[in-house]
Amino acid sequence: EGQRLLYQFGEGLGFLATVRKDGGPRLHPMCPIIDNGGLYAFIIPSPKQNDLRRDGRFAMHSFLPVDIDDAFYMTGTAIEILDPEIRQFVDDAYKNAVHENHALFEFHLERCLLTSYRYRGDWPPSYTRWSAP
């Protein structure tokens, strides 16, 4: 369900929260890539690249569907992938142009939360939680 929500508009779309140098949150739209059992993203040169290199903690959230308020939320730690073979492998699975200055990160999940509704306006929703062992 999480993958369905991230890819509901064709390519992966979500919001990425990172930790600024001063400890505050920073929020960015991004394009996650789910491939070969991993969760990745090419991050353009931006403050979020520096945030993830310095403090890999993240939160990621799917875009909301048009017709219902289902949502998928993940937290964990991101690590930069420097291996050119892995970078090429993920690049082949991605639908957009990747430039040399785009850093590849792999997102290791620690917790996930799926919020599901039967229809828009339904309350309360059902929650499915997952935590890494």
Side-chain angles (χ1 to χ4, degrees):
E1 277 301 298
Q3 183 171 346
R4 182 187 67 77
L5 287 167
L6 288 171
Y7 279 88
Q8 65 185 306
F9 298 107
E11 68 180 283
L13 292 173
F15 292 100
L16 175 66
T18 59
V19 181
R20 294 187 322 232
K21 195 173 189 176
D22 66 4
R26 190 187 315 267
L27 185 65
H28 323 266
M30 52 88 72
C31 297
I33 305 157
I34 298 173
D35 195 52
N36 198 35
L39 176 62
Y40 304 90
F42 285 103
I43 306 296
I44 63 171
S46 65
K48 64 187 162 194
Q49 262 191 13
N50 297 329
D51 290 349
L52 291 172
R53 285 179 177 138
R54 186 189 67 263
D55 181 340
R57 292 178 296 166
F58 75 91
M60 194 181 301
H61 198 286
S62 65
F63 280 38
L64 293 177
V66 174
D67 57 348
I68 198 161
D69 295 327
D70 290 357
F72 187 60
Y73 164 80
M74 302 156 279
T75 62
T77 305
I79 59 165
E80 187 170 7
I81 303 296
L82 300 174
D83 183 315
E85 288 182 25
I86 297 173
R87 183 179 172 91
Q88 185 60 54
F89 181 80
V90 177
D91 187 5
D92 291 344
Y94 193 42
K95 296 179 182 177
N96 296 307
V98 175
H99 300 281
E100 288 182 17
N101 62 358
H102 293 183
L104 177 63
F105 287 87
E106 182 174 9
F107 296 86
H108 296 264
L109 302 180
E110 295 170 6
R111 291 185 175 85
C112 298
L113 175 66
L114 174 66
T115 305
S116 302
Y117 296 84
R118 290 177 297 179
Y119 53 88
R120 177 157 271 152
D122 177 36
W123 192 261
S126 65
Y127 298 102
T128 304
R129 293 173 180 84
W130 174 87
S131 293

